[in-house]
Amino acid sequence: AQSVTQLDSQVPVFEEAPVELRCNYSSSVSVYLFWYVQYPNQGLQLLLKYLSGSTLVKGINGFEAEFNKSQTSFHLRKPSVHISDTAEYFCAVRRSYNTDKLIFGTGTRLQVFP
Amino acid sequence: DSGVTQTPKHLITATGQRVTLRCSPRSGDLSVYWYQQSLDQGLQFLIHYYNGEERAKGNILERFSAQQFPDLHSELNLSSLELGDSALYFCASREREGQETQYFGPGTRLLVL
């Protein structure tokens, strides 16, 4: 079975500072990895995904993530955050075959302060 | 806007009641997934339909059921509601086999009093 651990439930940061949101996964099979963002009172929006190939993936809104197979991690980074990045961020994993469900982490609340 | 629509946006009901949540996937998408987001359980997969057929079940209670209709919209039926069923219910759609990305709707917020 697959599982996802988001190590930080909350990350406070000042505007224009860099940020890293950590995600570790566990799986005995090949997986795809995703980051979703949830703004207040909204649904989930895909930020980026890793399927194969280059381990550094770039997403929307200036976010990027690096897949590290040896450390089973998929940390999300942004070099300079904005107030508008305040949201809940979810890391998710699914098997790379079959029409499989997403397994989500518990989420990280990013709070950007002016 | 993901293209996935869900109705109603909010629902307030009493314990013991039954409700139906509706989801319309993106045009052409054959797969519909239902997820529940609650404070204590986080985001959990409930059930997956593909072109009208049930494909997978997750942590879905026996009081809950779902179906996908020929026009591909889906309904999630929740019965004998309990306080603990209060949550945000999302549906997501995906185009077809081999497509990796699920697109989420805005959710239905259910409050059971």
Side-chain angles (χ1 to χ4, degrees), chain A residues 32 34 36 38 41-44 46 49 51 90 94 98-102 104-105, chain B residues 33 35 37 43 45 48 55 88 90 94 97 99-106 109:
Chain A
Y32 294 147
F34 303 81
Y36 281 85
Q38 185 179 25
N41 300 313
Q42 293 188 30
L44 296 164
L46 180 69
K49 61 187 176 186
L51 308 178
F90 292 93
R94 57 155 280 208
N98 211 339
T99 55
D100 208 23
K101 60 186 180 291
L102 288 169
F104 286 90
Chain B
Y33 299 77
Y35 293 87
Q37 184 180 31
L43 261 165
F45 165 72
H48 169 213
R55 280 297 179 91
L88 194 50
F90 287 110
R94 189 171 64 161
E97 305 280 333
Q99 296 296 309
E100 303 82 12
T101 301
Q102 293 181 24
Y103 295 90
F104 282 76
R109 187 172 295 279

Side-chain angles (χ1 to χ4, degrees), chain A:
Chain A
Q2 297 77 47
S3 67
V4 178
T5 301
Q6 291 185 246
L7 298 165
D8 306 298
S9 59
Q10 293 187 69
V11 172
V13 64
F14 286 111
E15 195 173 21
E16 297 183 6
V19 70
E20 178 180 83
L21 306 184
R22 297 181 292 169
C23 171
N24 285 88
Y25 70 94
S26 172
S27 177
S28 58
V29 298
S30 177
V31 295
Y32 294 147
L33 294 155
F34 303 81
W35 276 99
Y36 281 85
V37 60
Q38 185 179 25
Y39 297 104
N41 300 313
Q42 293 188 30
L44 296 164
Q45 180 182 4
L46 180 69
L47 272 179
L48 48 78
K49 61 187 176 186
Y50 173 77
L51 308 178
S52 64
S54 173
T55 57
L56 182 64
V57 291
K58 295 189 183 296
I60 62 171
N61 301 338
F63 284 93
E64 62 181 34
E66 185 155 20
F67 171 61
N68 188 318
K69 189 173 182 179
S70 62
Q71 296 186 7
T72 60
S73 67
F74 189 54
H75 299 333
L76 181 70
R77 301 185 183 101
K78 185 169 182 177
S80 175
V81 295
H82 301 133
I83 294 284
S84 59
D85 293 322
T86 294
E88 189 91 19
Y89 291 79
F90 292 93
C91 182
V93 63
R94 57 155 280 208
R95 292 183 300 186
S96 61
Y97 58 93
N98 211 339
T99 55
D100 208 23
K101 60 186 180 291
L102 288 169
I103 295 170
F104 286 90
T106 50
T108 296
R109 169 82 177 155
L110 176 64
Q111 181 74 50
V112 181
F113 294 93

Side-chain angles (χ1 to χ4, degrees), chain B:
Chain B
D1 185 358
S2 66
V4 178
T5 59
Q6 290 185 248
T7 56
K9 193 171 182 178
H10 303 280
L11 201 48
I12 301 175
T13 189
T15 54
Q17 295 298 305
R18 172 190 170 94
V19 297
T20 298
L21 312 183
R22 181 188 170 103
C23 168
S24 293
R26 297 184 319 156
S27 177
D29 283 4
L30 301 176
S31 266
V32 171
Y33 299 77
W34 285 96
Y35 293 87
Q36 180 195 57
Q37 184 180 31
S38 62
L39 285 174
D40 54 344
Q41 299 290 328
L43 261 165
Q44 289 200 95
F45 165 72
L46 294 177
I47 198 164
H48 169 213
Y49 276 84
Y50 178 81
N51 202 19
E53 292 185 7
E54 181 185 304
R55 280 297 179 91
K57 267 187 174 180
N59 298 322
I60 187 167
L61 300 169
E62 286 191 11
R63 300 183 285 108
F64 295 1
S65 64
Q67 53 184 326
Q68 186 179 26
F69 295 86
D71 67 352
L72 301 176
H73 91 272
S74 178
E75 292 181 356
L76 179 67
N77 299 295
L78 316 176
S79 62
S80 302
L81 285 167
E82 302 175 0
L83 296 178
D85 298 328
S86 296
L88 194 50
Y89 292 84
F90 287 110
C91 80
S93 74
R94 189 171 64 161
E95 188 177 358
R96 59 182 184 275
E97 305 280 333
Q99 296 296 309
E100 303 82 12
T101 301
Q102 293 181 24
Y103 295 90
F104 282 76
T108 292
R109 187 172 295 279
L110 173 66
L111 180 59
V112 182
L113 300 175

